[in-house]
Amino acid sequence: MIKEAIERYQKELQDNVKLVAVSKTKPVEAIKTAYDSGQRIFGENRAQELAEKAEQLPNDIQWHMVGHIQTKQIKYIAPYVDTIHSIDKWKTLEEVNKRAEQNERQINVLLQFHIAQEESKFGLDEDNVETLLENSELKQLKHVKICGVMGMATLTDDKDQIRKEFKDLSRIYSKLKDTYFVNSRDFIEISMGMTNDYPLAIEAGSTMIRIGSDIFGARG
Ligand SMILES: *Cc1c(COP(=O)(O)O)cnc(C)c1O
């Protein structure tokens, strides 16, 4: 079923939408099956799990960290991670830069926004993102590349609500692009859409969907 799912997404998705196959909690064998079907981008939400899997799997996999990450765990993924989707404060960004530098590499990051109705401790809003992007030390962080935004919609059956939240993230993306990233070739990604809401996300301009259960089956 993994193979069939990957092939279905390969057919369905236009070139401007990337598939992040979210393999959290799933064994390396399942990832290998998806890899053999041509999938190269995988998402995890725990630092040590990402590092352990990266050690065992081919080097041309792009590992994405999609879940919240604690500052002290960044060192575990710094040698492996291609993109971190969950940057929501300056301290995290600074630490990613430091660990990337130690590993002599550059790490792509996305700014995570809180767009859902549910309470959450995580995610930026339109006010505190300005503080982050106007930090005078930002230009010195040479080992991180800010590539766009990420968000999760409310867990609901109300499609209008979900649509509204995705459109809001698209609007935030455009505003930031026009304000802080006018000349940037890097700030191009809007990471939104999961198994239950990705068609709505694509309608609203998603460039990266993060799909777990539809590919790998329900998580235990
Ligand atoms: C688990 C997870 C996903 C994938 O969720 P599915 O509903 O299984 O597709 C996507 N994004 C994040 C941040 C996740 O934690």
Side-chain angles (χ1 to χ4, degrees), residues 68-72 74 86-99 124 132 135 141 144:
H68 177 73
I69 182 155
Q70 288 177 285
T71 313
K72 60 177 191 281
I74 292 169
S86 47
I87 300 297
D88 65 356
K89 45 180 185 319
W90 174 261
K91 216 177 88 188
T92 313
L93 191 63
E94 230 181 358
E95 177 70 10
V96 172
N97 183 71
K98 176 178 144 190
R99 298 296 180 180
L124 291 155
L132 188 151
N135 189 308
L141 306 188
V144 291

Side-chain angles (χ1 to χ4, degrees), residues 190-206:
I190 305 178
S191 165
M192 58 185 184
M194 312 182 7
T195 293
N196 289 320
D197 57 19
Y198 79 87
L200 300 175
I202 291 173
E203 250 177 59
S206 174

Side-chain angles (χ1 to χ4, degrees), residues 73-107:
Q73 296 177 328
I74 292 169
K75 59 177 181 288
Y76 301 123
I77 61 170
Y80 311 105
V81 73
D82 176 87
T83 302
I84 299 176
H85 289 230
S86 47
I87 300 297
D88 65 356
K89 45 180 185 319
W90 174 261
K91 216 177 88 188
T92 313
L93 191 63
E94 230 181 358
E95 177 70 10
V96 172
N97 183 71
K98 176 178 144 190
R99 298 296 180 180
E101 183 170 16
Q102 285 175 353
N103 285 277
E104 295 173 9
R105 52 194 306 266
Q106 213 177 26
I107 294 175

Side-chain angles (χ1 to χ4, degrees), residues 9 20-24 43-45 65-68 85-86 112 150-152 155 191 193-198 209-219:
Y9 281 99
V20 179
V22 179
S23 47
K24 62 189 185 195
E44 291 286 334
N45 73 337
M65 180 68 190
V66 299
H68 177 73
H85 289 230
S86 47
Q112 181 175 356
M150 179 272 211
M152 266 182 285
L155 195 60
S191 165
M194 312 182 7
T195 293
N196 289 320
D197 57 19
Y198 79 87
I209 57 172
R210 309 177 309 268
I211 307 291
S213 36
D214 194 33
I215 295 170
F216 295 107
R219 289 176 294 273

